Amino acid sequence: SYVLTQPPSVSVAPEKTARITCGGNNIGSKRVHWYQLKPGQAPVLLIYYDTDRPSGIPERFSGSNSGNTATLTISRVEAGDEADYYCQVWDSSSDHLYVFGTGTKVTVL
Amino acid sequence: EVQLVESGGGVVRPGGSLRLSCAASGFNFDDYGMSWVRQAPGKGLEWVSGINWNGGSTGYADSLKGRFIISRDNAKNSLYLQMNGLRAEDTALYYCATLGSSWHFNYWGQGTLVTVSS
């Protein structure tokens, strides 16, 4: 089964940059997607196919993917960015075809 | 505006059954594959099941095969999840989501809560 590992938590001051990593075996060969979850709200797709942003997602959110690590970068962090973030890939050999990372709680100081 | 509204959750005893529904609007429902994703209390996201645009192909997490059945009715713009033999570990918030071309989930509903408890 394919495993995606994220740090449980990241703390960042307003206006600074937050980086959330997603580690997986040769993840650079896969398409990585990122979601934002806030309590009581529908999850939101932030980044798909490593670096693409859906319409309506601010440019402050960006993604990269290489080797064994994918990264979601949030620039100029705002209070409203406080949320849980999950990476996701598709893996045909996994017992879950769509694999999610362990999730990262971002706290804005 | 894309809207996905889940319903059908509730409290059920172990071994019981529930049928979840997801009403879709604001897009051409039969252009999209669909999935169910769940989140147990205090846990992460877990893919449950998926179905292609016409219902001809389905997939399940290995641990759920044989207990859950996904289906859709394109005439009603609706997605369903029949859950049988429910266990305490199936307690979760169940989301429906559209499937994008890069095997991602474009749009999500707000979820419906399933609690399995005696």
Side-chain angles (χ1 to χ4, degrees), chain B residues 52-75:
Chain B
N52 75 333
W53 68 277
N54 66 356
S57 178
T58 60
Y60 301 89
D62 283 354
S63 58
L64 300 174
K65 283 179 183 174
R67 293 197 298 125
F68 288 12
I69 301 171
I70 191 172
S71 62
R72 66 189 295 160
D73 185 338
N74 286 349

Side-chain angles (χ1 to χ4, degrees), chain A residues 31 33 35 37 40-45 48-49 55 84 86 88-90 94-102, chain B residues 35 37 39 43-48 50 59-64 95 99 101-110:
Chain A
R31 301 177 182 185
H33 320 296
Y35 305 90
L37 272 71
Q41 298 184 22
V44 173
L45 173 68
Y48 66 100
Y49 202 167
S55 60
D84 294 328
Y86 289 84
Q88 176 251 315
V89 301
W90 181 79
S94 180
D95 55 352
H96 289 69
L97 292 176
Y98 300 85
V99 180
F100 288 94
T102 50
Chain B
S35 273
V37 177
Q39 184 175 29
K43 303 293 185 182
L45 296 174
E46 178 189 20
W47 177 75
V48 171
Y60 301 89
D62 283 354
S63 58
L64 300 174
Y95 298 101
L99 183 61
S101 57
S102 291
W103 307 109
H104 61 283
F105 304 106
N106 320 63
Y107 300 102
W108 301 63
Q110 291 195 324

